[in-house]
Amino acid sequence: MSSLAGDLSKAMSGGGMSPFQEAIRQELEAAMKADLERILSTAPESELEHIKKDIAGFQSLFHRFLQEKGPSVDWGKIQRPPEDSIQPYEKIKAKGIPDNIASVLNKLVVVKLNGGLGTSMGCKGPKSLIGVRNENTFLDLTVKQIEHLNVTYNTQVPLVLMNSFNTDEDTKKILQKYSHSRVKIYTFNQSRYPRINKESLLPIAKDLSYSVENAETWYPPGHGDIYASFYNSGLLDTLLEDGKEYIFVSNIDNLGATVDLHILNHLMNPPNGKRCEFVMEVTDKTRADVKGGTLTQCDGKLRLVEIAQVPKAHVDEFKSVSKFKIFNTNNLWISLSAIKRLQEANAIDMEIIVNPKTLDGGLNVIQLETAVGAAIKSFENSLGINVPRSRFLPVKTTSDLLLVMSNLYSLNAGSLTMSEKREFPTVPLVKLGSSFTKVRIHSKPRLSSPA
């Protein structure tokens, strides 16, 4: 089968498929279908319907992977976005906050992407359970922020966690400690997709068991999976029935991603009366951000372009701070009813990210993934908002962690604010040595109340 995969790869790069190459593609797809049916036959009856949806989603992604020529965009069609398609935050803030902001807040849901493990900092459990400040974890800070909103404005803003099969069990254990907080917390799981052998283009999983040996054979397929898994969980319909209209989505390790009342007001009370279905927060690039995805215009629609999609000849142009001045923070505001409409019409279009991995035993595999922001072109009346850098404060490494633990920031109601004594509003560059790349975390989640 490895020769078939190689032949197909050559066909894709050649720009078209001969009848022979089309036959190869069909053979690969048939072999994948047979393997997936074998794997599905090992599913417990209680989980069968849910797993069938995951497998169907994976098959659709694999079909597209075999059909499409590659990740590159047609650079000739890529243009700078029109001036009015990316609004300055100051202009939106200048409108102020109306007296009825509580009723607007009650239509919001906060969604945190919580599928990641703390492996980049040497931890085995969910990243959200790493202590960040005064023994508060990422999850503690998130709950405190939303609780502060609910208490201040007498509202019912819920928190939704998108977990993965890697983080679900430990996260659910820890949620017990928030049972008395004024935040209703929901969870749903990302899909579980099989890793693909790079040579044969077939799944390396033999069954659906959750055994330790089987753990490496499955993966959560990137945060673009939020649309399908949110819809399939039934939670999207539940929230719509509760009168919720928008979700604010962000990475749980971005400590700058707090609910912004000015952006929310702009969404719910737009100046031209026409609501946006999708808002992406962007911020100005620095030299440290040149690889970040940027908003462009293509075929009359806003489009997120990632560096992996840029033809090699244009990578320097993409990295140019003068041409593409902003990058995506992954703080997104999205209409719930629009997600439902597009999901039911199978009309959410996201580019496939092919993520190569080498497993512990040396086996080369690929993961087919998608990114949540890439769907912007599928929504109507999309908008970028150029926000202050303070709304992008990701903690990816122990160097980042040292910064947010330091007295550069003060903590108030779960939110971090940079000290006014800082002469420059930029974040200093910290690089810890190799001896300091790991943090210690409790092996079992503590169920005591946060400090």
Side-chain angles (χ1 to χ4, degrees):
M1 188 61 74
S2 60
S3 60
L4 292 180
D7 286 345
L8 184 72
S9 179
K10 286 174 192 167
M12 307 288 264
S13 59
M17 287 195 197
S18 68
F20 172 65
Q21 289 156 342
E22 173 61 20
I24 293 171
R25 188 195 63 75
Q26 289 180 9
E27 193 171 332
L28 279 167
E29 204 143 1
M32 173 63 80
K33 186 181 179 191
D35 266 24
L36 291 174
E37 283 174 357
R38 273 196 294 275
I39 292 168
L40 199 55
S41 69
T42 68
E45 192 65 36
S46 59
E47 295 180 35
L48 187 58
E49 284 312 305
H50 174 75
I51 291 168
K52 273 184 178 175
K53 287 178 182 175
D54 280 3
I55 294 293
F58 172 77
Q59 272 187 287
S60 173
L61 204 57
F62 184 72
H63 174 76
R64 281 180 52 211
F65 165 69
L66 294 183
Q67 292 275 15
E68 293 171 9
K69 291 178 189 173
S72 292
V73 294
D74 183 346
W75 195 253
K77 289 184 175 181
I78 297 297
Q79 301 170 310
R80 281 189 191 176
E83 286 294 316
D84 62 349
S85 66
I86 299 180
Q87 293 281 326
Y89 176 77
E90 289 69 27
K91 183 178 176 184
I92 284 162
K93 189 177 180 182
K95 287 164 49 180
I97 296 169
D99 294 338
N100 71 336
I101 196 66
S103 64
V104 172
L105 261 172
N106 272 326
K107 293 174 182 175
L108 181 70
V109 177
V110 175
V111 179
K112 292 290 182 180
L113 304 173
N114 187 47
L117 296 169
T119 47
S120 62
M121 291 193 262
C123 298
K124 288 183 178 177
K127 186 174 184 179
S128 57
L129 306 187
I130 294 174
V132 181
R133 186 74 185 240
N134 302 350
E135 294 195 9
N136 287 287
T137 64
F138 290 101
L139 189 53
D140 290 336
L141 295 178
T142 299
V143 173
K144 285 188 173 193
Q145 288 164 18
I146 301 172
E147 185 168 44
H148 178 68
L149 270 180
N150 285 338
V151 169
T152 304
Y153 295 98
N154 192 25
T155 50
Q156 299 293 329
V157 177
L159 169 64
V160 173
L161 300 172
M162 182 170 85
N163 297 335
S164 68
F165 62 88
N166 290 319
T167 62
D168 188 53
E169 190 179 339
D170 282 345
T171 300
K172 281 181 174 170
K173 283 179 189 171
I174 210 79
L175 291 183
Q176 297 171 47
K177 78 174 184 180
Y178 308 117
S179 57
H180 298 298
S181 72
R182 191 168 159 174
V183 182
K184 193 166 186 179
I185 304 176
Y186 302 90
T187 66
F188 69 95
N189 265 15
Q190 273 180 273
S191 305
R192 182 179 177 225
Y193 284 2
R195 281 177 166 153
I196 304 168
N197 185 308
K198 191 177 180 182
E199 293 300 316
S200 67
L201 293 187
L202 289 174
I204 60 172
K206 299 297 177 226
D207 58 55
L208 281 154
S209 70
Y210 287 88
S211 63
V212 176
E213 312 85 69
N214 217 27
E216 273 200 323
T217 64
W218 298 88
Y219 73 99
H223 41 55
D225 181 58
I226 186 173
Y227 304 106
S229 53
F230 196 14
Y231 177 82
N232 289 339
S233 72
L235 185 53
L236 189 148
D237 280 334
T238 299
L239 293 168
L240 280 168
E241 286 163 13
D242 284 350
K244 305 303 181 185
E245 295 183 20
Y246 278 92
I247 54 173
F248 171 49
V249 183
S250 62
N251 299 334
I252 199 156
D253 64 5
N254 179 8
L255 295 177
T258 56
V259 172
D260 186 282
L261 299 180
H262 299 286
I263 295 176
L264 179 63
N265 180 45
H266 185 81
L267 274 174
M268 303 297 282
N269 302 301
N272 60 2
K274 188 180 179 186
R275 283 192 181 181
C276 298
E277 290 187 346
F278 194 112
V279 165
M280 176 181 289
E281 292 185 36
V282 296
T283 195
D284 291 341
K285 272 187 186 180
T286 66
R287 296 199 181 279
D289 313 305
V290 291
K291 292 184 180 180
T294 193
L295 270 186
T296 64
Q297 177 157 291
C298 183
D299 296 328
K301 287 264 196 176
L302 278 182
R303 177 172 180 172
L304 178 67
V305 175
E306 304 282 359
I307 193 165
Q309 297 167 259
V310 179
K312 283 183 181 174
H314 297 281
V315 166
D316 286 343
E317 190 182 344
F318 173 84
K319 288 181 176 180
S320 163
V321 178
S322 57
K323 180 162 186 179
F324 297 107
K325 298 178 180 180
I326 47 91
F327 73 98
N328 170 30
T329 64
N330 220 36
N331 300 347
L332 309 168
W333 304 74
I334 313 171
S335 159
L336 277 168
S337 59
I339 295 174
K340 181 179 169 71
R341 182 191 78 238
L342 291 169
Q343 191 60 37
E344 289 181 343
N346 194 26
I348 296 181
D349 179 20
M350 294 172 285
E351 290 76 19
I352 296 172
I353 300 164
V354 180
N355 188 359
K357 298 267 183 186
T358 301
L359 303 186
D360 288 344
L363 181 66
N364 291 321
V365 298
I366 56 173
Q367 299 179 177
L368 303 181
E369 303 176 5
T370 54
V372 58
I376 188 169
K377 62 181 179 291
S378 302
F379 290 81
E380 293 300 318
N381 200 28
S382 298
L383 180 71
I385 296 180
N386 192 344
V387 297
R389 181 73 183 204
S390 58
R391 290 192 57 74
F392 183 67
L393 187 60
V395 180
K396 302 293 183 189
T397 65
T398 49
S399 299
D400 298 333
L401 190 60
L402 179 64
L403 263 177
V404 298
M405 284 179 162
S406 74
N407 64 358
L408 179 65
Y409 291 96
S410 57
L411 181 63
N412 180 33
S415 299
L416 291 178
T417 310
M418 189 182 286
S419 169
E420 290 178 3
K421 293 177 183 176
R422 169 82 174 153
E423 208 168 321
F424 307 100
T426 54
V427 177
L429 184 64
V430 173
K431 285 191 176 180
L432 293 176
S434 56
S435 308
F436 303 99
T437 55
K438 297 181 179 180
V439 296
R440 284 196 306 185
I441 190 169
H442 298 271
S443 57
K444 290 185 179 177
R446 289 175 301 161
L447 300 183
S448 57
S449 296

